[in-house]
Amino acid sequence: MSIQSLFNKMPCYINGLLLLILTSVAGCSLNDNDSNRIAQPQSLKINEGFSNPLGFYDAKPNFSWQLPASSSVKAQSRYQIKVVSKPELLSQSADLWDSGVVQSEQTTFIEYQGKALDSRQKVYWQVRFWDQNQQVSNWSEPAQFELGLLNNHDWSAKWIEIDSKKPIQLNQYKTPIHIPQHLRTEFNANKTIKSARLYITAKGVFEAFINGKRIGNDILTPGYTPYKKRIETLTYDVTPQITQGLNAIGIQLAEGWYAGRFGPKRHWHKKLKLTPKVLAQLEIEYADGSQQQIVTDQNWQATQNGPVRTSGLYDGERYNANVELPGWAQTGFDSSDWSGVKTSNIEADVLLQPKRHFTSKNKQLLPALSVNKVNRKTIFDLGQNMVGVPKIKVPMKQGQTLKLRFAEGVNQDGSLYTKNLGSAKQLDFYTAKQDGIVEWQPQFTFHGFRYVEISGYDTEFKPKLDWVTGVVQYTDFKMTGKFESSDPLLNQLQSNIEWGLKGNFLDIPTDCPQRSERLGWTGDALAFANTSLYIADSHAFWSAWMQSIREEQFEDNSIPVVVPNEVGEIAQAGWSDAAVTIPWDVYWRTGDKNILAENYEMMTRWIKYHQTQLNNGISEMWTVGDWLQPYSQREDSRRGETDHSLISTAFYARSVEFTLNSAKVLGKIDDVKKYSTLLAEIKTRFQQHFFDQGGRLQVGKQTQTAYLLAIGFDLLDAATTKKAVPHLLATFEDANNHLRTGFLGTPLIAPVLEKVGRTDLAFDLLFKKTYPSWLYSVTQGATTVWERWDGYTHNNGFADKQGSLNHYAYGAIGEWIYDRVVGISPLTAGYKKIRIAPLITEHLQFAQGEFQSVYGTIKSHWEKTNSGLIMNISIPSNTQAQIEIPHLNKAVYINQQRLTSDRFEIIERNQQHVVILVEAGEHQIEVKSKDL
Ligand code: RAM
């Protein structure tokens, strides 16, 4: 019987004593009558959004749920959680933890306070709540989780790799070509099997098979972490795959991020000695209670003579079907010509930790939209710049080798543009063993591309669109945000921003996914984090990457610019500050205090490092500056014209401010005092040093970014800010009201212009179609956000300074589009209190969007009408919203009722808008002439 059905049969339960206590504590009667029960809580999750995870990483989890969407349920007044070790105990007494009835509105991140949990433990839990009228709900459907192997000592397996006698080949760069391996063993499972788990990871990337069947559908596992500190492990339920009797297990292993040619050339030598290895532990539990472990050890066998001849992240995959190994992961396979394996022990100082965010998967299929012959080459266009691999279905003749080339763009003559790939070849090859249709998808590589060129197929056939499909691969999160407006170009920009996320969130946040870089650049992530938190359920993704940042923090307290660190001992302002800003952003958008608690020490250490870079209160920290500012006259034009010490001092203040905010949330009173004083001092010093009495910048060039940082980060006092505004605006006028900002200034443009009362200018810039601007790239055919505003132009083709066509940093404008054009943003952390405040602009007739918050879906739609405006707002249970209604000096109706203070809670009314406070539910607002 499934757990679900077991629970459906259970009677609802409330402990009589508890009821008694509760009734007296609450001073009201709790309605426990079945017929009056309200709908149960739903969407049960643990930690950063995991539902029913297997191989979970945290023995001290926290619980979240959502209240049912119902017109009567507005809020939670109490809850009760039960946590048990066996499903049947849910109807009896909770053996692990019973929270008791807790008087609280909190439905998110409630800490487990029960008995200690251990590796492999199965845990079941349930929750119920009381609504605002003390009506109790049914118990939720039970949820469950199972812990992975939490400690290195849980592993008895050893790392294994082929014991090859052949010298490792080198490529043209003199770095090793690690030929992918197949590793296998057979084992007997003699008794009736109750359950089986495969715990597995690799130094490299792997795919596992049992009795010929692929285990799971994850790609490029285990993913990319600072391997010297931590390697993530995966857990799979393989109960159905194991048969009583003889079984076979096989693992394919390739170099991946760990051992491959990856990262900047100057650091390749550090990897020369690394070879791919795999670690696996299969644990079988029999019906009679006995257990068996099958582990990677010296008894395995390996070969490098399989069909995947080479596979690297940058260079692509080469497959030869003539050397396939049919049945290699099944029993009875003749492996007499396979080699033995070398074993190595698990290192005590490399943490083996269950993966703490979602794995990457094949997420979407993109059919080709056109196929053309260009210079006798066959080129497919998928219509969308994407990241992943191709899936091919191509007719071939025996012995032919199909060559696949990939590019983000095509030259004027239609041929592939690959100059921007650096040394990343992005080439796949497939050699056919017989005539016929070949179906294939590479396993251990990924490419950034929109166009696929193929050659080497059976030319008797005319190419068809279904020969090539794009398999889009990224971290397996749900898309949580939607946006649409009356402007098709703005909608395309939004789509480009979303594709920037899909393309660069493959296990870690990367700067770009196609060229020989693909690194976890902190500055790009700092710019884009808030936008990503709207678009996708990226909470776990960021928390996991923050752990990597913590692990990479240097002894001198500085933070590398790239994480996992592939570039050496470099820290820089505006990049490394991600260590502070991202935990804060994630907290603000999710309400999860744990991310602050986990990273707090790192933040304070980073502040200490900042302090070592001060000269008389002004920072001299290294920075590449306002990266890629257009029209920069600096010698290295990429580095922007804004004074570098201004940037570094501004980010010092920013990091102190966010650390201070975190200290407040975490209740660290001494630190609150310390950082408040410090922040005030930094601001004073900043203003004195960089600005004159008239609010004009007195150090370095008058740049937009200098003013944007000063005002956006609140570094000037109120009077000086006011005086600085005309100077800020002058920098835009000088640029003919275009932006002149790079990675650091661009995200601040719209919020700062709004802050200084020039929302009109913010919208002008957002809707500008001439270079440089967001929509300029859109008019030039962009389907993703580019590294440079003019990465490609219809008139001049690709930019001389070849850039990535999939770089999410400028997509940071998304934050303002969602917060202020759709109008959904948090007023308190996690959207417990929501601000609905769309800015109505002459550029749009309507805009709408929705966001799946931790409390449920928030929706905002506004549309101009002949007589005024309609707004449709949806607010999830257990939250409240402040809605800012642009009254247009007309009458305001809410759900057909005239807005009056006796009917509604009016918080503020001014010339522009009236602000009301509403509870959960649907709210239709009409602003119209009084007589209509
Ligand atoms: C480039 C990266 C990244 C940027 C750094 C400074 O190589 O692409 O986007 O943050 O440099």
Side-chain angles (χ1 to χ4, degrees):
M1 187 174 0
S2 74
I3 309 169
Q4 208 87 331
S5 54
L6 188 81
F7 281 98
N8 291 342
K9 294 205 168 77
M10 282 181 185
C12 272
Y13 136 97
I14 185 164
N15 180 311
L17 182 66
L18 209 55
L19 177 66
L20 200 77
I21 298 168
L22 182 72
T23 319
S24 49
V25 169
C28 61
S29 74
L30 290 177
N31 197 332
D32 192 37
N33 180 330
D34 256 12
S35 59
N36 285 329
R37 293 268 167 90
I38 48 177
Q40 59 207 13
Q42 43 188 265
S43 205
L44 274 62
K45 305 255 172 80
I46 57 170
N47 290 44
E48 298 90 3
F50 295 86
S51 27
N52 301 327
L54 179 72
F56 193 57
Y57 77 95
D58 187 3
K60 292 196 180 106
N62 56 69
F63 303 104
S64 303
W65 57 90
Q66 290 178 5
L67 303 191
S70 122
S71 53
S72 68
V73 174
K74 298 293 177 201
Q76 172 181 286
S77 55
R78 299 174 168 72
Y79 68 81
Q80 183 179 11
I81 304 171
K82 280 191 299 185
V83 185
V84 299
S85 61
K86 292 197 180 70
E88 56 273 21
L89 292 177
L90 282 171
S91 65
Q92 300 158 26
S93 63
D95 63 336
L96 294 176
W97 186 47
D98 186 334
S99 68
V101 180
V102 181
Q103 196 166 342
S104 167
E105 278 192 16
Q106 198 182 343
T107 51
T108 56
F109 314 114
I110 292 165
E111 207 182 303
Y112 172 71
Q113 290 169 49
K115 287 192 189 138
L117 304 177
D118 208 352
S119 296
R120 307 177 178 88
Q121 189 158 353
K122 294 186 176 66
V123 180
Y124 306 84
W125 67 285
Q126 243 182 335
V127 58
R128 62 177 175 170
F129 77 101
W130 283 259
D131 73 2
Q132 70 283 357
N133 300 321
Q134 318 305 333
Q135 295 284 316
V136 64
S137 76
N138 282 321
W139 284 100
S140 67
E141 295 289 330
Q144 57 179 300
F145 58 94
E146 182 180 314
L147 293 163
L149 300 186
L150 302 175
N151 316 293
N152 285 20
H153 64 70
D154 292 321
W155 291 84
S156 32
K158 285 181 186 291
W159 291 108
I160 59 167
E161 66 196 287
I162 191 164
D163 189 9
S164 170
K165 305 286 174 265
K166 290 190 205 140
I168 295 179
Q169 285 175 49
L170 299 182
N171 58 26
Q172 68 187 101
Y173 306 103
K174 308 250 178 312
T175 68
I177 304 173
H178 298 289
I179 300 177
Q181 302 171 35
H182 286 67
L183 303 108
R184 74 183 303 279
T185 195
E186 294 189 11
F187 60 94
N188 255 306
N190 281 330
K191 296 181 268 185
T192 311
I193 293 147
K194 185 175 164 216
S195 75
R197 297 285 182 267
L198 176 65
Y199 302 100
I200 183 166
T201 190
K203 293 180 175 179
V205 284
F206 74 87
E207 285 188 8
F209 301 79
I210 291 179
N211 295 327
K213 293 233 166 61
R214 168 91 200 270
I215 303 305
N217 54 5
D218 302 326
I219 59 137
L220 298 173
T221 41
Y224 185 22
T225 50
Y227 298 117
K228 281 191 200 141
K229 297 278 173 61
R230 176 176 51 109
I231 300 181
E232 293 180 313
T233 64
L234 281 303
T235 306
Y236 296 98
D237 178 1
V238 293
T239 317
Q241 281 83 8
I242 313 274
T243 51
Q244 199 172 335
L246 195 61
N247 292 269
I249 176 167
I251 299 167
Q252 277 183 270
L253 174 65
E255 60 187 33
W257 292 275
Y258 175 83
R261 181 176 78 82
F262 187 77
K265 196 172 184 175
R266 63 181 190 279
H267 290 279
W268 288 344
H269 64 277
K270 293 185 186 157
K271 285 191 165 185
L272 290 181
K273 293 212 174 85
L274 303 181
T275 52
K277 299 172 175 51
V278 68
L279 180 77
Q281 185 157 308
L282 173 63
E283 299 190 358
I284 303 176
E285 200 186 325
Y286 292 107
D288 66 3
S290 59
Q291 291 176 356
Q292 184 184 353
Q293 279 193 0
I294 294 92
V295 298
T296 43
D297 59 16
Q298 69 288 349
N299 298 321
W300 286 54
Q301 286 182 297
T303 184
Q304 284 176 315
N305 297 329
V308 188
R309 301 307 311 138
T310 56
S311 191
L313 296 181
Y314 286 167
D315 293 334
E317 192 158 305
R318 189 180 280 269
Y319 188 94
N320 183 355
N322 294 295
V323 289
E324 279 172 350
L325 302 165
W328 72 277
Q330 283 162 278
T331 55
F333 177 80
D334 177 9
S335 57
S336 49
D337 61 344
W338 284 34
S339 311
V341 294
K342 283 193 285 203
T343 63
S344 41
N345 290 335
I346 288 170
E347 300 85 341
D349 55 351
V350 179
L351 179 65
L352 296 171
Q353 189 191 42
K355 194 166 181 74
R356 60 169 300 175
H357 75 107
F358 311 130
T359 49
S360 298
K361 289 196 195 296
N362 301 323
K363 293 287 291 175
Q364 194 177 339
L365 294 178
L366 284 185
L369 299 185
S370 69
V371 51
N372 290 305
K373 277 263 160 123
V374 180
N375 306 334
R376 301 215 307 266
K377 299 271 165 51
T378 302
I379 296 180
F380 293 80
D381 177 7
L382 305 178
Q384 172 63 53
N385 194 12
M386 57 154 277
V387 174
V389 291
K391 200 184 174 76
I392 58 157
K393 223 169 105 184
V394 176
M396 291 183 70
K397 283 214 158 94
Q398 183 180 14
Q400 273 187 322
T401 294
L402 186 78
K403 179 175 180 186
L404 297 111
R405 298 176 65 223
F406 302 87
E408 295 186 297
V410 285
N411 298 309
Q412 307 287 29
D413 66 355
S415 61
L416 293 198
Y417 168 76
T418 54
K419 278 198 188 141
N420 66 342
L421 299 180
S423 73
K425 293 199 187 78
Q426 295 208 147
L427 288 177
D428 294 336
F429 296 91
Y430 185 99
T431 305
K433 64 175 177 211
Q434 62 198 29
D435 294 0
I437 303 276
V438 162
E439 292 193 27
W440 178 66
Q441 173 179 331
Q443 291 172 282
F444 301 114
T445 186
F446 68 90
H447 317 307
F449 62 102
R450 167 176 166 171
Y451 298 91
V452 185
E453 178 198 282
I454 64 166
S455 52
Y457 55 86
D458 184 347
T459 45
E460 277 170 28
F461 294 87
K462 199 168 164 273
K464 290 207 301 206
L465 287 179
D466 70 355
W467 283 15
V468 174
T469 304
V471 182
V472 182
Q473 300 176 320
Y474 55 92
T475 293
D476 186 26
F477 31 51
K478 287 195 197 71
M479 290 303 185
T480 49
K482 286 189 184 154
F483 170 76
E484 201 197 338
S485 76
S486 51
D487 188 292
L489 292 181
L490 187 64
N491 296 347
Q492 183 64 47
L493 172 64
Q494 142 68 18
S495 166
N496 296 358
I497 293 171
E498 202 171 293
W499 277 97
L501 179 141
K502 289 179 176 177
N504 285 291
F505 277 39
L506 205 162
D507 207 59
I508 63 147
T510 53
D511 58 331
C512 61
Q514 72 297 79
R515 68 178 175 218
S516 45
E517 190 154 17
R518 312 183 189 191
L519 297 172
W521 278 96
T522 46
D524 307 50
L526 175 149
F528 193 64
N530 268 322
T531 300
S532 78
L533 285 157
Y534 179 93
I535 301 174
D537 175 17
S538 51
H539 182 178
F541 177 84
W542 288 117
S543 297
W545 190 59
M546 292 316 302
Q547 180 166 347
S548 298
I549 299 193
R550 290 200 298 281
E551 287 161 347
E552 294 285 32
Q553 185 164 25
F554 298 112
E555 262 173 34
D556 68 357
N557 299 323
S558 64
I559 303 276
V561 288
V562 163
V563 175
N565 185 3
E566 302 280 357
V567 299
E569 297 218 6
I570 316 168
Q572 71 182 40
W575 269 250
S576 308
D577 294 282
V580 176
T581 62
I582 294 180
W584 179 258
D585 292 344
V586 174
Y587 163 71
W588 186 245
R589 299 276 161 175
T590 64
D592 178 14
K593 290 183 190 166
N594 298 303
I595 191 158
L596 299 180
E598 273 191 325
N599 294 294
Y600 188 73
E601 197 203 328
M602 166 175 63
M603 299 180 185
T604 58
R605 287 180 55 200
W606 170 241
I607 300 298
K608 281 194 188 137
Y609 180 74
H610 257 295
Q611 291 174 329
T612 64
Q613 304 296 300
L614 297 174
N615 181 357
N616 197 13
I618 297 302
S619 177
E620 291 177 347
M621 189 186 288
W622 156 259
T623 179
V624 290
D626 194 20
W627 190 243
L628 302 186
Q629 175 219 311
Y631 298 112
S632 166
Q633 301 298 320
R634 200 184 271 269
E635 200 181 324
D636 177 352
S637 68
R638 297 171 308 167
R639 298 184 62 198
E641 290 167 310
T642 303
D643 181 75
H644 284 184
S645 63
L646 181 144
I647 289 173
S648 304
T649 312
F651 273 95
Y652 171 40
R654 187 64 155 181
S655 276
V656 170
E657 186 191 351
F658 282 13
T659 306
L660 164 64
N661 293 346
S662 308
K664 284 182 189 160
V665 174
L666 298 172
K668 296 184 184 291
I669 303 164
D670 291 348
D671 283 5
V672 171
K673 275 200 210 126
K674 182 172 93 184
Y675 291 125
S676 306
T677 315
L678 178 61
L679 182 59
E681 283 167 12
I682 302 169
K683 288 184 179 182
T684 310
R685 189 71 192 101
F686 179 93
Q687 178 170 319
Q688 262 175 11
H689 185 80
F690 293 107
F691 286 81
D692 68 17
Q693 302 283 327
R696 188 171 191 276
L697 190 69
Q698 59 184 6
V699 177
K701 281 218 168 179
Q702 300 291 312
T703 64
Q704 294 175 357
T705 294
Y707 286 98
L708 292 169
L709 286 168
I711 299 173
F713 290 0
D714 275 321
L715 302 178
L716 308 177
D717 60 37
T720 313
T721 303
K722 217 169 166 192
K723 290 185 213 155
V725 172
H727 301 298
L728 163 74
L729 297 176
T731 62
F732 283 94
E733 278 151 31
D734 288 350
N736 196 15
N737 281 344
H738 280 73
L739 58 82
R740 291 282 183 276
T741 50
F743 281 25
L744 300 180
T746 307
L748 293 168
I749 294 174
V752 169
L753 289 175
E754 182 196 330
K755 186 171 171 180
V756 303
R758 289 302 308 272
T759 307
D760 59 321
L761 183 54
F763 274 114
D764 269 4
L765 284 150
L766 176 58
F767 283 93
K768 190 129 283 171
K769 293 178 195 63
T770 40
Y771 175 82
S773 67
W774 288 277
L775 295 189
Y776 177 69
S777 319
V778 174
T779 62
Q780 304 304 305
T783 61
T784 35
V785 175
W786 296 341
E787 185 174 21
R788 293 173 190 270
W789 304 101
D790 57 352
Y792 170 86
T793 64
H794 291 314
N795 288 339
N796 302 322
F798 294 97
D800 289 345
K801 298 198 173 98
Q802 300 119 21
S804 142
L805 298 183
N806 200 350
H807 233 75
Y808 56 51
Y810 290 144
I813 185 68
E815 179 182 354
W816 195 72
I817 296 176
Y818 312 130
D819 285 359
R820 305 301 275 126
V821 182
V822 177
I824 300 174
S825 62
L827 258 186
T828 59
Y831 298 83
K832 179 82 174 88
K833 202 163 186 187
I834 302 158
R835 181 182 186 209
I836 301 287
L839 292 164
I840 314 301
T841 163
E842 57 182 336
H843 296 273
L844 294 174
Q845 184 61 27
F846 80 89
Q848 63 189 27
E850 60 179 69
F851 172 65
Q852 288 171 37
S853 74
V854 286
Y855 296 97
T857 307
I858 308 166
K859 291 186 190 167
S860 167
H861 157 258
W862 61 263
E863 183 160 11
K864 292 177 188 164
T865 62
N866 289 341
S867 60
L869 184 73
I870 288 185
M871 294 167 79
N872 290 300
I873 313 294
S874 179
I875 302 299
S877 302
N878 214 31
T879 66
Q880 283 186 318
Q882 273 189 24
I883 308 181
E884 293 177 24
I885 307 166
H887 54 62
L888 314 171
N889 289 320
K890 295 183 178 181
V892 175
Y893 296 82
I894 300 181
N895 298 333
Q896 263 94 55
Q897 288 191 305
R898 184 76 194 266
L899 174 65
T900 52
S901 54
D902 52 337
R903 291 200 190 109
F904 295 92
E905 194 172 340
I906 299 177
I907 297 179
E908 190 194 332
R909 191 192 284 271
N910 60 31
Q911 301 243 297
Q912 285 82 41
H913 53 233
V914 49
V915 185
I916 58 167
L917 184 71
V918 299
E919 56 185 10
E922 310 289 323
H923 307 279
Q924 200 207 44
I925 297 165
E926 268 185 282
V927 180
K928 57 186 180 184
S929 306
K930 294 187 178 80
D931 46 1
L932 285 170

